[in-house]
Amino acid sequence: RVDEVVEMRDVLERAVGWFTKRELTAAFNRWLEWREEIVEMREIADRAMKFLVHRAIVSAFNRWIEWHEETRELREIANRAMTFFVNRAVVAAFNAWADNARELRNARVAIKWWAERALVKSWLTWMDHHIEYTRAAYVLKARVWGEWCELADERRERLKI
């Protein structure tokens, strides 16, 4: 009779151990899936940010090329005007050219400001996303740790019975 009780107790302990290990393994597998999802989200966000930054840089470079071509054309026009006019006409043409130069300088400053603004905005957006995903990762880690602790507490409670 004592041998039967000992044998039944051994069988019961093995069964409880098997179920507990199975639950712990399932919880760990869920945690792994959540972690893989976060890594995948980060990769997607990184690719999107790289695409946006590249697009902003290309756009700024194309605007610079257009500005450079327009400036070159304006210089050619100014040079032709200077050679065509004489005396008073030369002075009038020079004054017009000086006004254009001032406008071009203002345009150059505006283009530089917009290009720098786009790059800064892209960088700040990247930082916001990075901070957001980092916080989400910490929250997820805390949630997984809490669930794991709850499972461990439940197991301890079951083993005390």
Side-chain angles (χ1 to χ4, degrees):
R1 179 124 175 110
V2 173
D3 292 337
E4 290 177 15
V5 171
V6 169
E7 186 179 335
M8 286 178 68
R9 187 173 185 183
D10 288 344
V11 169
L12 184 61
E13 283 180 7
R14 276 188 261 131
V16 167
W18 183 81
F19 282 116
T20 304
K21 184 191 274 186
R22 189 171 151 220
E23 287 180 22
L24 189 59
T25 301
F28 183 71
N29 287 336
R30 283 193 306 271
W31 177 80
L32 284 178
E33 289 173 8
W34 287 330
R35 186 184 182 288
E36 288 172 5
E37 187 176 323
I38 286 175
V39 167
E40 185 177 328
M41 284 183 200
R42 277 190 188 154
E43 289 173 356
I44 290 170
D46 287 346
R47 284 194 304 266
M49 289 307 301
K50 286 177 185 175
F51 172 77
L52 292 174
V53 168
H54 177 70
R55 194 169 86 181
I57 290 171
V58 168
S59 175
F61 182 73
N62 287 336
R63 285 192 305 267
W64 177 81
I65 288 175
E66 290 173 6
W67 169 83
H68 183 67
E69 290 175 358
E70 289 176 13
T71 304
R72 186 177 44 82
E73 290 172 4
L74 288 174
R75 283 183 185 160
E76 290 175 6
I77 291 170
N79 285 336
R80 279 183 274 156
M82 293 284 281
T83 58
F84 181 76
F85 294 109
V86 281
N87 294 340
R88 292 176 87 187
V90 169
V91 171
F94 181 78
N95 288 337
W97 179 83
D99 291 342
N100 285 337
R102 275 188 227 100
E103 289 178 19
L104 284 175
R105 185 173 352 118
N106 292 340
R108 185 180 322 126
V109 169
I111 289 171
K112 182 180 176 185
W113 183 81
W114 279 104
E116 289 174 354
R117 184 174 177 213
L119 289 174
V120 168
K121 185 176 179 182
S122 296
W123 186 79
L124 290 175
T125 303
W126 177 84
M127 281 300 297
D128 288 344
H129 287 290
H130 175 70
I131 290 168
E132 179 181 325
Y133 288 123
T134 302
R135 287 181 182 158
Y138 284 128
V139 168
L140 185 59
K141 287 176 189 176
R143 188 180 306 143
V144 168
W145 176 252
E147 288 179 12
W148 186 84
C149 287
E150 287 177 16
L151 286 173
D153 289 342
E154 289 175 14
R155 181 172 184 256
R156 275 191 225 111
E157 289 298 321
R158 276 189 260 140
L159 289 177
K160 285 182 181 178
I161 294 174

